[in-house]
Amino acid sequence: MFDDDPLQRETIASVMVPVAVPGPYTYKVPPGVSVVPGTIVRVPLGPREVLGAVWDNEPDPAINPKKLKSISHVYEGARPLDKDLRRFIDWVANWTLAAPGMVLRMVLRSEEALEEEPPVAGVRKIEGAAPERMTPARSRVLETMEDGFAWTKSGLAHAAGVSPSVIDGLLHQEVLEVVSLPAAPPPPKPQVDFCKPDLTPAQREAADGLIESFDKGAAVSLIDGVTGSGKTEVYFEAVAEALRRDRQVLVLLPEIALTEQFLRRFEQRFGVYPAEWHSEVSPKNRARTWRGVASGDVRVVIGARSALFLPYLELGLIVVDEEHDSAFKQDDRVPYSARDMAVVRGHISRFPVVLASATPSIESRVNADMGRYRRFVLPERASGAALPELKAIDMRHQGPERGRWIAPELLVAMKEAFADGAQTLLFLNRRGYAPLTLCRTCGHRFQCPHCSAWLVEHRFQGRLVCHHCGHNEKVPESCPSCGSVDSLIACGPGVERVAEEVADRFPEARTLILSSDLPGGPDRLRREMKIVEEGGADIVIGTQLVAKGHNFPKMRLVGVIDADLGLAHGDPRAAEKTFQLLAQVTGRAGRVTGGGKGFLQTYSPDHPVIKALLSSDRDAFYEAEIAARQAAGLPPFGRLAAIVVSGPDKRFAEDFARAFVRAAPREPAITLLGPAEAALAMVRGRYRYRLLAMAPRQLDLQAYLRAWLEQAPRPVKGLRVQVDIDPQHFL
Ligand code: ADP
Ligand code: ZN
Ligand code: ZN
């Protein structure tokens, strides 16, 4: 009955709400208000009000309008989310099997961003006015204001070195007047030609190739260049081209600790700092960036993966630096890969996407080999320095004495480096002091009460910590099981323990631990990275954090304490990840000066990954790994989805996982594995069972999973079913 009446029809709209429901809900549009798809609104939802966006779906005309709730607020000042962003949200939801509202939530995270920031009060000099009596303080104020610009009161007091009462006095005498200032002036624009680098011929060729890609729609390019080859300089040329074409740019980085050095480099090239987007940015600044991105005032964003979901006015380039990094994969809520979704985003809006890495992911390498991506190879370091010479130390025969972790040969090299004033990096991907603590008397092992994981001793904090749930307890004085005193022993090394050994061997050296869990957070890390960069430390002991793209000019020696650490997992990507990590870590050595050396301490020097690293034959590694993936039907030659069933009761979770598998639609092309108890069988008190679905590439795995979820039993009583398309972690 409403269908024929256009006036009636216009009074309802579909609104996507930020909750896990399959699609938008229908709401009434209040009289006198007009909305279009993308309009950002606030709507009642159950007992609360939530942010949402008007969506493209036809509202359901069959619902009795009397039962509909009304949109309660329209954010008139916020630009509606554009069509490309709406399509992107739908696409991500469809791909990840997440609710579209949960994807929208990543866009509408800051309510503060939706309203203009209120102006702040400022003061300005009234033309021709002079105070009754001149004092030195007053004269300083007036001098400071000579250029006629407005100031905030506190800013002016500070700049002129006077107390605020001096300014109040001048206001009172009508020498100054109050004006309203925009809360934040628009950021200065990057200058395309601020400082153009002299590119090497190989860099020039790659840069020209990237620039050409702007005329080719949604082209994806892979910069595959060894560590220190100048990938950043090269993609900065693509950034410059996007700016010339009046397009906005997003550069995605895997780790915020990286950004400090990166921001300075950007400033050197373009004359201004770019906008930053990650969890450490204050809510106020995030709101500003959100608005600036939407209005076009912000031209370049450097961000973590969530920056993909900002409402760009005219995005025209995405760069994904260190594209192989698994930090681009989000594991909770909406499990998406920011690298892959960046490519999708470029595809939707027909703009180029640049991926950069010294150790590209197998996926990107295969895409390049198949001609889907263009690949630009930078085989040499920009400085001309040779890549580090790598050597294995066979820990079965050449290892250190018991209770020590640095082999004699590595120690000798460290002594040499130290004597020459060069830096050493010791790499161990394990935080804390020791990964396991046990009682020598009764064998008691300290385990997390909520997870199936050992507690890791952190000696600086004097605590035993679970790295999965954060549970921590004081290191006890006596064994909780048998009561023996002084009976606890630490097993195996973490970075703190290696640092202890270094302090013992090199008492005069300045040592530094770079690990994400030390007190002081990202600020401290950024400071310490800078210290290392400037040569203020001789020996650095670090976790995987140091592997990521840093440029430490004085670093000459890298020792990998346990090169086998990543290889043991039942993870189909273990070889690839270990190769990437170790190539990146050892790539820190000798970047500028050359003469770099790397040692890999290993119990399996004949492992293909170790051999590939030692021979620096990257291509051989990629060929072998790609062939193995192809033979096994693993990504990118096949599709994978992980399903994790978890619940607080073990039996119940296991039974449910079995019932879930029994409900799977029959499809001969799909291989289902599991349910099996997860390697991490319990996390945060939840028991976990894993299923893995493998499908050939041409099969629509998402459609299959959707059909499965449709007919599978519903999780009840605290059970949860999480689907992860193209999983990166298999614990
Ligand atoms: P990558 O990202 O490939 O590891 P970077 O872009 O960080 O390499 O470059 C490594 C170092 O070489 C940096 O200090 C950079 O400033 C310098 N560099 C790169 N290209 C050039 C060049 N063409 N001329 C001079 N220095 C360069
Ligand atoms: Zn005991
Ligand atoms: Zn735990």
Side-chain angles (χ1 to χ4, degrees):
M1 83 191 229
F2 313 110
D3 280 9
D4 306 325
D5 182 348
L7 277 179
Q8 279 284 8
R9 254 209 344 229
E10 266 171 30
T11 60
I12 58 175
S14 283
V15 176
M16 191 75 85
V17 288
V19 290
V21 293
Y25 285 158
T26 301
Y27 283 88
K28 269 197 289 202
V29 181
V33 168
S34 77
V35 296
V36 295
T39 300
I40 301 171
V41 296
R42 204 167 54 221
V43 292
L45 184 73
R48 53 198 179 120
E49 291 221 329
V50 295
L51 288 180
V54 175
W55 223 245
D56 305 75
N57 313 47
E58 280 298 313
D60 186 352
I63 302 179
N64 179 353
K66 291 208 173 78
K67 289 199 173 153
L68 287 178
K69 289 183 177 167
S70 253
I71 290 173
S72 39
H73 181 71
V74 173
Y75 289 90
E76 310 265 5
R79 198 171 57 90
L81 306 179
D82 67 25
K83 186 152 163 276
D84 285 2
L85 181 53
R86 300 198 305 277
R87 270 186 65 201
F88 181 56
I89 292 169
D90 284 334
W91 208 102
V92 173
N94 200 42
W95 178 260
T96 58
L97 269 74
M102 297 304 282
V103 183
L104 174 68
R105 196 158 115 160
M106 299 196 286
V107 176
L108 298 181
R109 281 212 304 204
S110 156
E111 185 163 6
E112 201 180 332
L114 301 173
E115 310 271 18
E116 277 305 320
E117 230 177 296
V120 296
V123 291
R124 195 169 51 196
K125 186 167 177 289
I126 298 174
E127 197 78 39
E132 292 157 11
R133 184 172 55 83
M134 194 58 93
T135 66
R138 286 177 176 174
S139 127
R140 278 207 302 281
V141 171
L142 296 178
E143 258 164 47
T144 310
M145 302 192 86
E146 220 143 53
D147 57 11
F149 287 138
W151 289 75
T152 62
K153 234 159 98 175
S154 58
L156 179 59
H158 187 79
V162 301
S163 80
S165 64
V166 177
I167 292 163
D168 287 333
L170 289 168
L171 278 168
H172 187 73
Q173 294 186 23
E174 293 182 359
V175 178
L176 304 182
E177 64 181 343
V178 174
V179 292
S180 87
L181 296 175
K189 302 263 186 292
Q191 299 165 42
V192 171
D193 298 318
F194 183 76
C195 179
K196 283 166 101 170
D198 286 324
L199 297 181
T200 65
Q203 290 174 339
R204 188 72 260 163
E205 200 184 316
D208 288 344
L210 298 183
I211 290 168
E212 273 168 35
S213 70
F214 279 83
D215 292 320
K216 294 187 178 151
V220 183
S221 305
L222 171 65
I223 311 177
D224 181 352
V226 299
T227 49
S229 58
K231 295 182 288 297
T232 317
E233 303 298 336
V234 169
Y235 71 67
F236 274 178
E237 294 314 291
V239 173
E241 180 64 15
L243 295 173
R244 269 184 218 112
R245 292 175 181 237
D246 286 328
R247 297 274 145 190
Q248 290 168 300
V249 177
L250 166 62
V251 179
L252 291 173
L253 297 180
E255 195 77 55
I256 54 157
L258 259 177
T259 52
E260 181 67 31
Q261 193 180 47
F262 187 88
L263 298 176
R264 275 184 276 130
R265 277 185 76 176
F266 188 93
E267 198 246 358
Q268 282 159 13
R269 172 65 181 81
F270 295 105
V272 301
Y273 277 86
E276 281 178 81
W277 183 269
H278 51 73
S279 56
E280 297 299 321
V281 176
S282 72
K284 191 167 170 182
N285 283 331
R286 252 191 284 176
R288 283 179 182 168
T289 297
W290 200 96
R291 280 190 297 264
V293 160
S295 69
D297 282 343
V298 168
R299 305 311 296 174
V300 180
V301 176
I302 308 301
R305 57 184 185 229
S306 57
L308 259 184
F309 293 93
L310 287 169
Y312 300 91
L313 177 68
E314 44 199 358
L315 187 59
L317 172 70
I318 303 179
V319 177
V320 185
D321 200 356
E322 310 290 342
E323 64 91 28
H324 64 278
D325 201 297
S326 57
F328 285 123
K329 178 71 193 283
Q330 169 158 304
D331 284 323
D332 53 355
R333 296 221 183 116
V334 180
Y336 70 95
S337 152
R339 178 197 61 220
D340 297 348
M341 295 307 114
V343 171
V344 169
R345 187 75 183 78
H347 201 80
I348 288 175
S349 299
R350 316 290 307 157
F351 61 67
V353 173
V354 175
L355 311 177
S357 176
T359 52
S361 62
I362 296 288
E363 278 82 353
S364 296
R365 182 64 193 261
V366 169
N367 278 326
D369 290 350
M370 307 272 232
R372 287 192 283 259
Y373 296 175
R374 269 184 92 185
R375 174 167 171 242
F376 299 99
V377 180
L378 302 174
E380 278 159 17
R381 285 178 160 176
S383 59
L387 285 166
E389 211 178 286
L390 298 187
K391 192 163 185 285
I393 297 178
D394 186 340
M395 296 292 272
R396 293 167 306 184
H397 313 298
Q398 302 157 339
E401 64 205 80
R402 246 182 97 95
R404 297 280 186 164
W405 317 101
I406 306 171
E409 197 179 348
L410 176 53
L411 273 178
V412 170
M414 288 173 72
K415 281 195 186 116
E416 271 175 31
F418 183 50
D420 283 358
Q423 280 174 334
T424 294
L425 168 67
L426 294 181
F427 171 74
L428 176 62
N429 205 7
R430 226 192 242 137
R431 296 179 281 137
Y433 184 83
L436 170 66
T437 303
L438 56 76
C439 169
R440 178 177 359 188
T441 312
C442 74
H444 174 78
R445 295 168 171 220
F446 286 80
Q447 195 182 341
C448 175
H450 316 295
C451 305
S452 40
W454 306 127
L455 293 177
V456 178
E457 182 185 354
H458 285 243
R459 198 157 278 193
F460 290 152
Q461 298 164 23
R463 303 192 80 82
L464 295 164
V465 180
C466 171
H467 283 181
H468 297 284
C469 72
H471 166 87
N472 64 90
E473 51 194 67
K474 214 168 157 303
V475 181
E477 273 159 28
S478 58
C479 171
S481 175
C482 70
S484 308
V485 179
D486 284 337
S487 166
L488 304 184
I489 46 173
C491 299
V495 279
E496 292 179 10
R497 196 168 195 181
V498 174
E500 187 180 81
E501 184 173 342
V502 168
D504 191 37
R505 303 269 194 194
F506 298 89
E508 329 80 83
R510 296 163 301 169
T511 63
L512 195 66
I513 300 180
L514 287 178
S515 173
S516 59
D517 58 351
L518 296 173
D523 275 346
R524 165 175 174 168
L525 273 178
R526 274 194 283 266
R527 263 197 322 275
E528 294 187 334
M529 293 277 185
K530 194 140 183 255
I531 292 176
V532 181
E533 192 190 329
E534 287 164 357
D538 303 308
I539 302 173
V540 180
I541 302 102
T543 61
Q544 46 100 27
L545 202 92
V546 296
K548 303 192 178 184
H550 298 277
N551 201 10
F552 297 135
K554 295 210 165 137
M555 195 154 276
R556 202 170 72 189
L557 175 65
V558 173
V560 176
I561 298 296
D562 184 352
D564 310 327
L565 196 56
L567 287 171
H569 292 301
D571 173 345
R573 288 194 173 85
E576 178 191 352
K577 285 183 191 157
T578 306
F579 177 81
Q580 287 162 340
L581 184 61
L582 298 186
Q584 296 279 353
V585 170
T586 51
R588 301 307 110 202
R591 276 163 70 100
V592 176
T593 53
K597 265 197 186 152
F599 287 93
L600 306 175
Q601 300 194 151
T602 171
Y603 285 89
S604 43
D606 293 326
H607 192 287
V609 168
I610 305 289
K611 286 179 100 166
L613 286 162
L614 294 180
S615 64
S616 338
D617 193 348
R618 294 184 337 134
D619 286 333
F621 173 77
Y622 278 95
E623 262 167 46
E625 186 61 22
I626 288 169
R629 294 270 183 99
Q630 191 155 21
L634 286 168
F637 302 100
R639 299 182 190 280
L640 276 188
I643 300 171
V644 176
V645 171
S646 65
D649 183 87
K650 187 167 193 291
R651 264 299 292 284
F652 199 60
E654 185 175 1
D655 288 348
F656 182 83
R658 290 191 195 293
F660 196 87
V661 174
R662 280 195 298 274
R666 277 187 49 78
E667 166 55 68
I670 296 226
T671 310
L672 288 183
L673 303 172
E677 193 169 70
L680 253 175
M682 182 172 70
V683 176
R684 296 188 159 86
R686 301 179 66 84
Y687 293 87
R688 305 166 73 239
Y689 290 85
R690 291 188 73 95
L691 303 164
L692 198 61
M694 289 175 67
R697 207 184 138 81
Q698 63 279 11
L699 194 134
D700 184 346
L701 182 57
Q702 278 84 350
Y704 174 83
L705 292 167
R706 230 171 258 122
W708 182 359
L709 288 166
E710 194 62 37
Q711 66 193 55
R714 301 272 170 250
V716 288
K717 293 200 204 164
L719 289 172
R720 204 180 309 151
V721 175
Q722 284 162 295
V723 180
D724 183 0
I725 302 290
D726 202 14
Q728 298 289 320
H729 301 289
F730 293 83
L731 288 175

